[in-house]
């Protein structure tokens, strides 16, 4: 089995200190069929802090992601030259909250250096990142309302042309389960998830199997087998794989498990991206 890792972070992500040179060296040592560096770019924090009303500052962990984006893409572009012929290095970005500032998203999409865009929802409109929510203070009705807003925002994002694959669908469950022991039943949202998958398949977009939950205490990939199979059954063809590594050591972590999950769902090939176009490789 030839592995690929298409969701990784480096020093140019606000929540990572992984040296980008060491990351590239590690990916080369692993012999990955494809290695994408996809540093964070949160659209709702694209501008400098002073650009936003002070009363909304608490909603964003950081600001000036335009600078982070340029630093990351410039560094990856230089590394692509250094490793030309030695490694399949992909210049990517994890683009968060696309609907919160579509002009910022369009700027990223128009950059010809970018091969690959993960579209992620880390927070719903008017709320903090799921990481910062104190779920113990919410009733289950409030939690399910929160989750519905998440899945509806992912659906609305799926109708745009501003990304290539949806990142870590069901990320919304990570912290409420890991830190608070709340195991919400998201089957009540299967209809809107199915509509999202139909939209993605129709628009030639994909989803990723994010393996971070397997090593971080969640106990499953994002999303689980049920939803990867649903995507396949509804016409989805593009599936990518990502460790969501924020350290050098986690590059490639559990990717083999993610590929096995994809195969169990009926996929025979996975995708990485070049110049925003999917390139397929067998996974079985």
């Amino acid at each position: 089995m030839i592995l690929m890792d298409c969701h990784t972070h480096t020093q140019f992500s606000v929540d990572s200190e992984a040296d980008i040179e060491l990351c590239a060296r590690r990916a080369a040592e692993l012999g990955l069929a494809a290695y994408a560096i996809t540093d964070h770019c949160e659209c709702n924090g694209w501008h400098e802090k002073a650009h936003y009303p002070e009363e909304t500052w608490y909603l964003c962990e950081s600001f000036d992601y335009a600078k982070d984006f340029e630093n990351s893409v410039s560094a990856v572009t230089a590394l692509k030259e250094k490793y030309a012929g030695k490694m399949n290095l992909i210049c990517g970005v994890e683009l968060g909250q696309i609907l919160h500032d579509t002009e910022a998203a369009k700027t990223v999409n128009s950059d010809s250096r970018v091969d690959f865009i993960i579209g992620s929802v880390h927070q719903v409109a008017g709320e903090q990142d799921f990481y910062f929510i104190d779920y113990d203070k919410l009733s289950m009705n409030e939690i399910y309302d929160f989750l519905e807003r998440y899945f509806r925002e992912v659906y609305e994002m799926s109708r745009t042309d501003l990304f290539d694959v949806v990142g870590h669908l069901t990320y919304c469950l990570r912290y409420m389960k890991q830190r608070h022991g709340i195991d919400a039943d998201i089957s009540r949202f299967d209809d809107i998830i199915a509509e999202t998958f139909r939209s993605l398949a129709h628009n030639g977009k994909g989803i990723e199997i994010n393996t971070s939950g397997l090593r971080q205490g969640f106990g499953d990939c994002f999303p689980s087998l049920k939803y990867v199979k649903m995507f396949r059954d509804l016409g989805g063809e593009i599936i990518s794989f990502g460790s969501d590594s924020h350290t050098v050591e986690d590059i490639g972590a559990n990717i083999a498990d993610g590929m096995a999950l994809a195969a169990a769902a009926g996929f025979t090939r996975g995708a990485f991206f070049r110049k925003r176009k999917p390139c397929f490789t067998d996974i079985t």
Side-chain angles (χ1 to χ4, degrees), residues 4 6 33-34 88 90 115-116 164-165 204 237-241 269-283:
M4 65 183 89
C6 294
N88 184 14
I90 295 159
D115 292 307
F116 176 50
D164 300 310
V165 303
E237 296 182 351
I238 297 173
I239 197 95
S240 70
F241 304 95
R269 59 184 190 170
F272 61 87
F273 281 72
R274 280 285 185 195
K275 299 295 182 184
R276 307 294 303 286
K277 301 295 183 183
C279 304
F280 295 97
T281 183
D282 290 342
I283 62 170

Side-chain angles (χ1 to χ4, degrees), residues 85-100:
K86 302 176 183 177
M87 177 173 58
N88 184 14
L89 179 57
I90 295 159
C91 184
V93 58
E94 183 179 11
L95 197 58
Q97 291 73 257
I98 286 172
L99 299 181
H100 299 194

Side-chain angles (χ1 to χ4, degrees), residues 33-206:
Y35 168 54
I37 294 175
T38 55
D39 284 311
H40 285 296
C41 181
E42 308 297 282
C43 290
N44 55 316
W46 175 258
H47 301 283
E48 294 181 354
K49 189 174 184 178
H51 173 84
Y52 302 97
E54 187 172 351
E55 61 269 20
T56 68
W57 287 354
Y58 76 98
L59 294 173
C60 208
E61 181 183 3
S62 187
F63 297 91
D64 203 10
Y65 279 97
K67 182 179 179 181
D68 291 346
F69 170 71
E70 178 56 37
N71 287 339
S72 177
V73 170
S74 294
V76 177
T77 299
L79 283 175
K80 286 175 75 171
E81 293 185 14
K82 179 177 179 178
Y83 283 91
K86 302 176 183 177
M87 177 173 58
N88 184 14
L89 179 57
I90 295 159
C91 184
V93 58
E94 183 179 11
L95 197 58
Q97 291 73 257
I98 286 172
L99 299 181
H100 299 194
D101 188 340
T102 56
E103 290 306 309
K106 289 176 181 177
T107 298
V108 171
N109 273 259
S110 67
D111 196 312
S112 62
R113 297 170 297 176
V114 176
D115 292 307
F116 176 50
I117 297 177
I118 299 171
S120 294
V121 177
H122 297 118
Q123 58 192 109
V124 297
E127 304 286 353
Q128 290 180 294
D129 189 301
F130 290 105
Y131 178 89
F132 296 106
I133 302 298
D134 186 353
Y135 299 97
D136 289 335
K137 294 182 178 179
L138 302 177
S139 68
M140 285 307 299
N141 284 339
E142 289 172 320
I143 286 173
Y144 281 120
D145 176 69
F146 199 31
L147 292 173
E148 181 175 4
R149 291 163 62 194
Y150 167 78
F151 286 113
R152 291 200 175 278
E153 188 159 321
V154 174
Y155 168 67
E156 292 299 331
M157 182 183 72
S158 78
R159 300 172 67 190
T160 75
D161 195 35
L162 298 172
F163 67 100
D164 300 310
V165 303
V166 172
H168 49 45
L169 185 71
T170 66
Y171 167 84
C172 54
L173 303 176
R174 172 185 279 170
Y175 302 109
M176 67 174 64
K177 180 178 179 180
Q178 286 180 200
R179 294 204 297 250
H180 300 267
I182 299 170
D183 199 4
D185 178 12
I186 62 170
S187 63
R188 63 177 66 193
F189 308 115
D190 280 1
D191 286 348
I192 187 65
I193 294 172
E195 284 303 307
T196 299
F197 288 162
R198 291 188 187 97
S199 174
L200 292 170
H202 176 75
N203 293 328
K205 306 297 183 183

Side-chain angles (χ1 to χ4, degrees), residues 174-277:
R174 172 185 279 170
Y175 302 109
M176 67 174 64
K177 180 178 179 180
Q178 286 180 200
R179 294 204 297 250
H180 300 267
I182 299 170
D183 199 4
D185 178 12
I186 62 170
S187 63
R188 63 177 66 193
F189 308 115
D190 280 1
D191 286 348
I192 187 65
I193 294 172
E195 284 303 307
T196 299
F197 288 162
R198 291 188 187 97
S199 174
L200 292 170
H202 176 75
N203 293 328
K205 306 297 183 183
I207 64 171
E208 76 162 357
I209 295 177
N210 186 300
T211 64
S212 62
L214 295 174
R215 67 178 188 276
Q216 293 179 350
F218 183 80
D220 208 342
C221 293
F222 302 111
S224 65
L225 174 60
K226 170 186 173 179
Y227 292 104
V228 177
K229 187 175 187 304
M230 181 190 291
F231 180 58
R232 178 65 173 167
D233 292 344
L234 292 173
E237 296 182 351
I238 297 173
I239 197 95
S240 70
F241 304 95
S243 66
D244 208 346
S245 66
H246 286 65
T247 67
V248 175
E249 294 75 19
D250 282 341
I251 293 171
N254 297 107
I255 295 296
D257 299 304
M259 288 184 168
L261 187 153
F267 285 91
T268 60
R269 59 184 190 170
F272 61 87
F273 281 72
R274 280 285 185 195
K275 299 295 182 184
R276 307 294 303 286
K277 301 295 183 183

